[in-house]
Coordinates of all heavy atoms in Angstrom, one line a residue:
S19 N -20.6 -2.6 22.6 CA -21.3 -2.9 21.4 C -21.3 -4.4 21.2 O -20.3 -5.1 21.2 CB -20.7 -2.3 20.2 OG -20.7 -0.8 20.3
M24 N -23.4 -13.7 15.3 CA -22.2 -14.5 14.9 C -21.0 -14.2 15.7 O -19.9 -14.9 15.5 CB -22.0 -14.4 13.4 CG -23.0 -15.1 12.5 SD -23.0 -16.9 12.7 CE -21.4 -17.2 12.0
L25 N -21.0 -13.2 16.5 CA -19.8 -12.8 17.2 C -19.1 -13.9 17.9 O -17.9 -14.1 17.9 CB -20.2 -11.7 18.2 CG -19.0 -11.2 19.1 CD1 -18.0 -10.4 18.3 CD2 -19.5 -10.3 20.2
V26 N -19.9 -14.8 18.6 CA -19.3 -15.9 19.4 C -18.6 -16.9 18.5 O -17.8 -17.6 19.0 CB -20.4 -16.6 20.2 CG1 -20.9 -15.6 21.3 CG2 -21.5 -17.1 19.4
A27 N -19.0 -16.9 17.2 CA -18.3 -17.9 16.3 C -17.1 -17.3 15.6 O -16.3 -18.1 15.0 CB -19.4 -18.4 15.3
R28 N -17.0 -16.0 15.6 CA -16.0 -15.3 14.8 C -14.8 -15.0 15.8 O -14.6 -13.9 16.1 CB -16.5 -14.1 14.1 CG -17.7 -14.4 13.2 CD -18.3 -13.2 12.6 NE -17.5 -12.6 11.6 CZ -16.9 -11.4 11.7 NH1 -17.1 -10.6 12.7 NH2 -16.2 -10.9 10.7
Q29 N -14.1 -16.1 16.1 CA -13.2 -16.0 17.3 C -11.8 -15.3 17.0 O -11.0 -15.2 17.9 CB -12.9 -17.3 17.9 CG -14.2 -18.0 18.4 CD -14.0 -19.3 19.1 OE1 -12.9 -19.7 19.3 NE2 -15.1 -20.0 19.4
S30 N -11.6 -14.9 15.7 CA -10.4 -14.2 15.4 C -10.5 -12.7 15.3 O -9.6 -12.0 15.0 CB -9.9 -14.7 14.0 OG -10.8 -14.4 13.0
T31 N -11.7 -12.2 15.6 CA -11.9 -10.7 15.5 C -11.4 -10.0 16.7 O -11.4 -10.5 17.8 CB -13.4 -10.4 15.2 OG1 -14.1 -10.8 16.4 CG2 -14.0 -11.2 14.1
P32 N -11.0 -8.7 16.5 CA -10.6 -7.9 17.6 C -11.8 -7.7 18.7 O -11.5 -7.7 19.9 CB -10.3 -6.5 17.0 CG -9.9 -6.8 15.6 CD -10.8 -8.0 15.2
A33 N -13.0 -7.6 18.2 CA -14.1 -7.5 19.2 C -14.3 -8.7 20.0 O -14.5 -8.7 21.2 CB -15.4 -7.2 18.4
F34 N -14.2 -9.9 19.4 CA -14.3 -11.2 20.2 C -13.1 -11.2 21.2 O -13.4 -11.5 22.4 CB -14.1 -12.4 19.2 CG -14.1 -13.7 20.0 CD1 -15.3 -14.4 20.1 CD2 -12.9 -14.2 20.5 CE1 -15.3 -15.6 20.8 CE2 -12.9 -15.4 21.2 CZ -14.1 -16.1 21.3
N35 N -11.9 -10.8 20.8 CA -10.8 -10.9 21.7 C -11.0 -9.9 22.9 O -10.7 -10.2 24.0 CB -9.5 -10.5 21.0 CG -9.1 -11.6 20.0 OD1 -9.4 -12.8 20.2 ND2 -8.4 -11.3 19.0
F36 N -11.6 -8.7 22.6 CA -11.9 -7.8 23.7 C -12.9 -8.3 24.7 O -12.6 -8.4 25.9 CB -12.4 -6.5 23.1 CG -13.0 -5.6 24.2 CD1 -12.3 -5.0 25.2 CD2 -14.4 -5.5 24.2 CE1 -12.9 -4.3 26.2 CE2 -15.0 -4.7 25.2 CZ -14.3 -4.1 26.2
L37 N -14.0 -8.8 24.2 CA -15.0 -9.3 25.0 C -14.6 -10.6 25.8 O -15.0 -10.7 27.0 CB -16.3 -9.6 24.2 CG -17.0 -8.4 23.6 CD1 -18.1 -8.9 22.6 CD2 -17.6 -7.6 24.7
H38 N -13.8 -11.4 25.2 CA -13.4 -12.6 25.9 C -12.2 -12.5 26.8 O -12.1 -13.2 27.8 CB -13.1 -13.7 24.8 CG -12.9 -15.0 25.3 ND1 -13.7 -15.7 26.2 CD2 -11.9 -16.0 25.0 CE1 -13.3 -16.9 26.4 NE2 -12.2 -17.1 25.8
T39 N -11.2 -11.6 26.5 CA -10.0 -11.5 27.2 C -9.8 -10.3 28.0 O -9.0 -10.2 29.0 CB -8.8 -11.7 26.3 OG1 -8.7 -10.6 25.4 CG2 -8.9 -13.0 25.5
E40 N -10.5 -9.2 27.7 CA -10.3 -7.9 28.4 C -11.5 -7.5 29.2 O -11.3 -7.0 30.3 CB -9.9 -6.8 27.4 CG -8.6 -7.1 26.7 CD -8.2 -6.0 25.7 OE1 -8.6 -4.8 25.9 OE2 -7.6 -6.3 24.6
L41 N -12.7 -7.6 28.7 CA -13.9 -7.2 29.4 C -14.0 -8.0 30.8 O -14.4 -7.4 31.7 CB -15.1 -7.5 28.6 CG -16.4 -7.0 29.2 CD1 -16.4 -5.5 29.5 CD2 -17.6 -7.4 28.3
P42 N -13.6 -9.2 30.9 CA -13.7 -9.9 32.2 C -13.1 -9.2 33.3 O -13.6 -9.2 34.4 CB -12.9 -11.2 31.9 CG -13.1 -11.5 30.5 CD -13.0 -10.2 29.8
M121 N -24.9 -12.7 25.2 CA -23.8 -12.9 24.3 C -22.5 -12.3 24.8 O -21.4 -12.9 24.9 CB -24.1 -12.5 22.9 CG -24.8 -13.5 22.1 SD -24.8 -13.3 20.4 CE -25.3 -14.9 19.8
P122 N -22.5 -11.0 25.3 CA -21.3 -10.5 25.9 C -20.9 -11.2 27.1 O -19.7 -11.4 27.4 CB -21.7 -9.0 26.2 CG -22.8 -8.7 25.3 CD -23.5 -10.0 25.1
I124 N -21.5 -14.4 28.0 CA -21.0 -15.8 27.8 C -19.6 -15.8 27.4 O -18.8 -16.8 27.6 CB -21.9 -16.6 26.8 CG1 -21.8 -18.1 27.0 CG2 -21.6 -16.2 25.3 CD1 -22.8 -18.9 26.2
L125 N -19.1 -14.7 26.8 CA -17.7 -14.5 26.4 C -16.9 -14.0 27.6 O -15.8 -14.5 27.9 CB -17.6 -13.6 25.2 CG -18.2 -14.0 23.9 CD1 -18.0 -13.0 22.8 CD2 -17.5 -15.3 23.4
A126 N -17.4 -13.0 28.3 CA -16.7 -12.4 29.3 C -16.7 -13.1 30.7 O -15.8 -13.0 31.4 CB -17.2 -10.9 29.5
H249 N -12.4 -0.3 23.8 CA -12.2 -1.0 22.6 C -12.9 -0.2 21.4 O -13.9 0.4 21.6 CB -12.8 -2.4 22.6 CG -12.7 -3.1 21.3 ND1 -11.5 -3.7 20.9 CD2 -13.6 -3.4 20.4 CE1 -11.7 -4.3 19.7 NE2 -13.0 -4.1 19.4
S251 N -13.3 -1.2 17.1 CA -13.1 -1.9 15.9 C -14.4 -1.8 15.1 O -15.4 -1.5 15.6 CB -12.6 -3.3 16.1 OG -13.6 -4.1 16.7
E253 N -16.6 -4.0 12.1 CA -16.9 -5.2 11.4 C -17.9 -5.0 10.3 O -18.7 -4.0 10.4 CB -17.4 -6.3 12.4 CG -16.5 -6.6 13.5 CD -17.0 -7.7 14.4 OE1 -18.2 -8.1 14.3 OE2 -16.2 -8.2 15.2
M259 N -17.9 -1.7 16.9 CA -17.8 -2.5 18.1 C -17.2 -1.7 19.3 O -16.5 -2.2 20.1 CB -17.1 -3.8 17.8 CG -17.7 -4.6 16.8 SD -19.4 -5.2 17.2 CE -19.1 -6.2 18.6

Side-chain angles (χ1 to χ4, degrees):
S19 298
M24 286 297 292
L25 177 68
V26 295
R28 304 174 73 244
Q29 299 186 8
S30 62
T31 66
F34 177 94
N35 291 334
F36 163 70
L37 291 169
H38 189 50
T39 65
E40 297 180 32
L41 184 60
M121 279 197 162
I124 203 171
L125 294 179
H249 176 76
S251 63
E253 300 182 349
M259 299 298 294

